[in-house]
């Protein structure tokens, strides 16, 4: 394709078997390609939606967003008079019957028209919504008028016409009747993008943006389906084969091969050999009705005395047993008697009684004060969780002011949050030696402990020892200069307050 053209590809049509084709782009551009590449490029008056080539008259028909269907004669190389239709909202799709060359046009308003290319006159018209009301299957389906637009149209033979709708339904018509013979739904609510007929396998292939479905021609039942990962734009079926190409919103053309509807084409016959190698053959085994049992399992079932009899066939480290016999033995071995039930109930009652017994509490020998503090904090946490009001109660009740208590500190006022952040290692086995091993004894009078707890009362603070006091006294007594005394005056006053016992 031409790299200069910026419009995306909308439709393509083949002119002959010598790789000559026409491409319709979204910017009203028509490109004619041959074996060596781009041959000619022209533009149409309106934005095109679909194209189709009529080989008998060498006319190229272009459906656009207007009531006119434009014609280009490739033999003369010029535009001809368009087909004037009454499809005011534009023509979505068009198709040409391969037998009698009747041209079918599908409109945005749910109308299908058939035109005779010989005298360029309308041969007939079909309203989709009215035809659905006239059929027994169509009365059960309610399609709004806004979703009756024709999005796909395809002729099978000289009398069969397939129509795809914007609502996700597809219909089959006989040209001799205005009532549809088949009405099917894709169940996705997406427009039908294409309809194909596979005559060799008598299958109908329909596609929407999400899925490609295969239908049986005689029973119209769903045969199989293909669901690509990206949106489907169009499908291409290789004639008389099971090879299908799908154009999706991907940089690759997806390829599917279904051997059940047709063989591979001659130019890729290796697909048939590949599918034969991948075909799985189910071989009936002579041991399908037997169960492999090990020697230990025979002893648990109590049938070890059957070893050596025709009921057991030795194999590797065990035996093969008839599946019906194994099922009976398994049922008898797992039977639940009334005596077993009584034993279970008695055992359960004894365990419940043992839980209610008073157990001896372990005495705390190390860090007893810490253990009591953590236990008290844990009990406060559980009480606060129980007394925490719900959000619904907080909305109903208005907050009341409570007078502050004097004397002792109110712990609830200091803790604004409901949760307690102090960790509680009393119930954790990893901290068990903290309350049993004397090496973990905490000295509240040590310097390290006082540095980590600076908010303790001054009564618990330890004063300097006699040795420390004598060293500090000598230090301040050695220097008698006036400047020294002036600079150390505030420090000496502070020293008296700190060293006060």
């Amino acid at each position: 394709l031409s790299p200069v053209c910026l419009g995306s590809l909308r439709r393509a049509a083949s002119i002959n078997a010598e790789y000559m084709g026409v491409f319709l782009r979204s910017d009203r551009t028509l490109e004619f390609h041959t074996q060596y590449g781009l041959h000619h490029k022209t533009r149409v008056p309106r934005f095109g939606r679909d194209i189709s080539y009529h080989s008998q008259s060498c006319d190229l028909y272009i459906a656009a967003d207007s009531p006119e269907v434009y014609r280009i004669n490739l033999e003369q190389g010029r535009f001809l008079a368009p087909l004037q239709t009454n499809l005011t909202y534009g023509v979505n799709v068009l198709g040409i019957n391969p037998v009698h060359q009747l041209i079918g046009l599908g409109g945005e308003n749910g109308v299908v028209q058939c035109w005779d290319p010989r005298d360029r006159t309308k041969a007939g018209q079909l309203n989709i919504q009215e035809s659905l009301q006239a059929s027994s299957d169509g009365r059960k389906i309610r399609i709004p008028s806004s979703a009756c637009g024709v999005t796909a149209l395809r002729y099978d033979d000289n009398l069969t016409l397939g129509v795809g709708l914007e609502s996700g339904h597809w219909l089959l018509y006989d040209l001799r009747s205005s009532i549809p013979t088949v009405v099917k739904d894709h169940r996705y609510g997406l427009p039908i993008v294409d309809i194909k007929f596979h005559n060799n396998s008598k299958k109908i292939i329909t596609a929407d943006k999400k899925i490609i479905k295969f239908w049986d021609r005689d029973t119209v039942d769903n045969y199989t389906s293909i669901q690509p990962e990206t949106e489907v734009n169009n499908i291409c079926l290789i004639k008389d084969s099971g090879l299908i190409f799908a154009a999706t919103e991907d940089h690759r053309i997806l390829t599917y091969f279904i051997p059940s509807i047709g063989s591979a084409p001659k130019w890729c016959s290796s697909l048939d050999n590949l599918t034969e190698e991948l075909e799985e053959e189910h071989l009936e085994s002579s041991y399908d009705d037997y169960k492999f049992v090990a020697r230990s399992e025979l002893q648990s079932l109590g049938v070890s005395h059957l070893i050596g009899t025709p009921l057991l066939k030795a194999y590797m480290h065990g035996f093969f047993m008839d599946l019906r016999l194994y099922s009976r033995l398994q049922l008898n071995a797992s039977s639940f008697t009334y005596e077993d039930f009584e034993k279970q109930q008695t055992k359960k009652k004894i365990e419940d009684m043992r839980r209610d017994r008073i157990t001896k509490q372990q005495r705390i020998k190390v860090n007893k004060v810490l253990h009591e503090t953590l236990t008290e904090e844990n009990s406060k946490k559980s009480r606060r969780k129980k007394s925490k009001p719900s959000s619904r109660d907080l909305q109903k009740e208005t907050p009341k002011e409570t007078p502050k208590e004097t004397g002792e500190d109110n712990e609830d006022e200091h803790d604004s949050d409901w949760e307690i952040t102090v960790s509680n290692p009393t119930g954790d086995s990893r901290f068990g030696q903290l309350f049993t091993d004397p090496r973990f004894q905490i000295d509240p009078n040590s310097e390290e402990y006082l540095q980590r707890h600076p908010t303790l009362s001054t009564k618990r603070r330890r004063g300097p020892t006699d040795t420390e006091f004598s060293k500090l006294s000598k230090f301040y007594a050695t220097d008698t200069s006036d400047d020294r005394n002036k600079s150390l005056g505030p420090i000496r006053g502070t020293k008296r307050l700190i060293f006060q016992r």
Side-chain angles (χ1 to χ4, degrees), residues 318-441:
F319 304 89
F320 273 116
M321 178 186 292
D322 190 270
L323 188 60
R324 293 170 294 181
L325 176 61
Y326 178 80
S327 301
R328 291 180 182 178
L329 294 174
Q330 192 73 18
L331 183 63
N332 295 332
S334 60
S335 59
F336 188 73
T337 60
Y338 181 73
E339 289 78 7
D340 297 335
F341 177 73
E342 276 189 333
K343 291 180 181 179
Q344 288 184 4
Q345 294 297 323
T346 304
K347 185 177 180 181
K348 184 178 179 181
K349 289 181 180 180
I350 293 174
E351 290 178 355
D352 295 340
M353 293 173 62
R354 287 176 178 175
R355 292 195 193 99
D356 298 337
R357 292 180 180 178
I358 300 175
T359 57
K360 184 178 179 181
Q361 296 183 356
Q362 184 180 3
R363 296 182 62 183
I364 306 301
K365 299 180 180 180
V366 180
N367 298 327
K368 185 176 182 180
V369 178
L370 177 62
H371 187 274
E372 292 177 355
T373 304
L374 294 176
T375 306
E376 184 179 358
E377 293 291 343
N378 192 20
S379 61
K380 287 181 181 180
K381 181 178 180 181
S382 60
R383 289 197 302 269
R384 289 180 181 179
K385 283 187 176 180
K386 292 180 180 179
S387 62
K388 181 178 179 180
S390 61
S391 59
R392 195 174 291 177
D393 298 337
L394 291 174
Q395 293 178 359
K396 292 182 179 179
E397 298 181 3
T398 56
K400 298 181 181 179
E401 297 182 357
T402 56
K404 296 183 178 180
E405 298 178 2
T406 58
E408 297 180 356
D409 295 337
N410 189 6
E411 295 178 357
D412 295 336
E413 293 179 0
H414 293 293
D415 297 330
S416 58
D417 298 328
W418 289 100
E419 299 293 334
I420 297 177
T421 58
V422 178
S423 60
N424 186 13
T426 56
D428 197 338
S429 59
R430 296 176 297 176
F431 302 95
Q433 296 183 357
L434 184 62
F435 307 104
T436 57
D437 195 342
R439 293 180 299 173
F440 295 98
Q441 178 67 43

Side-chain angles (χ1 to χ4, degrees), residues 248-296:
T248 63
E249 293 293 334
D250 197 354
H251 64 279
R252 298 174 298 132
I253 299 294
L254 304 183
T255 308
Y256 301 98
F257 179 58
I258 306 175
S260 59
I261 67 173
S263 59
K266 294 181 179 179
W267 45 270
C268 59
S269 58
S270 58
L271 287 177
D272 289 330
N273 301 330
L274 182 63
T275 54
E276 289 177 1
E277 294 175 1
L278 296 177
E279 185 178 0
E280 297 180 359
E281 296 182 0
H282 178 69
L283 299 177
E284 294 184 359
S285 176
S286 58
Y287 296 101
D288 287 345
D289 298 332
Y290 287 86
K291 171 70 177 178
F292 180 80
V293 184
R295 189 180 294 271
S296 58

Side-chain angles (χ1 to χ4, degrees), residues 218-261:
D218 299 329
T219 61
V220 203
D221 294 332
N222 191 7
Y223 179 71
T224 186
S225 60
I226 300 172
Q227 189 167 358
E229 296 181 356
T230 54
E231 293 185 357
V232 180
N233 294 327
N234 206 337
I235 57 175
C236 178
L237 176 63
I238 305 300
K239 188 177 180 180
D240 301 333
S241 70
L243 190 63
I244 298 174
F245 297 102
T248 63
E249 293 293 334
D250 197 354
H251 64 279
R252 298 174 298 132
I253 299 294
L254 304 183
T255 308
Y256 301 98
F257 179 58
I258 306 175
S260 59
I261 67 173

Side-chain angles (χ1 to χ4, degrees), residues 128-170:
I128 300 296
Q129 207 162 19
E130 293 178 0
S131 66
L132 286 175
Q133 297 299 326
S135 65
S136 58
D137 295 336
R139 293 195 193 102
K140 304 176 184 178
I141 303 172
R142 294 183 179 180
I143 303 176
S145 58
S146 59
C148 278
V150 181
T151 56
L153 190 144
R154 185 76 57 184
Y155 283 103
D156 179 22
D157 49 24
N158 56 345
L159 293 177
T160 306
L161 174 65
V163 179
L165 302 181
E166 190 177 351
S167 60
H169 297 79
W170 66 273

Side-chain angles (χ1 to χ4, degrees), residues 13-22 31-33 53 55 60 74:
S14 177
I15 297 177
N16 54 23
E18 297 178 358
Y19 305 101
M20 296 182 65
V22 184
E31 292 186 358
F32 297 88
H33 287 254
Y53 178 66
S55 58
L60 180 67
L74 301 186

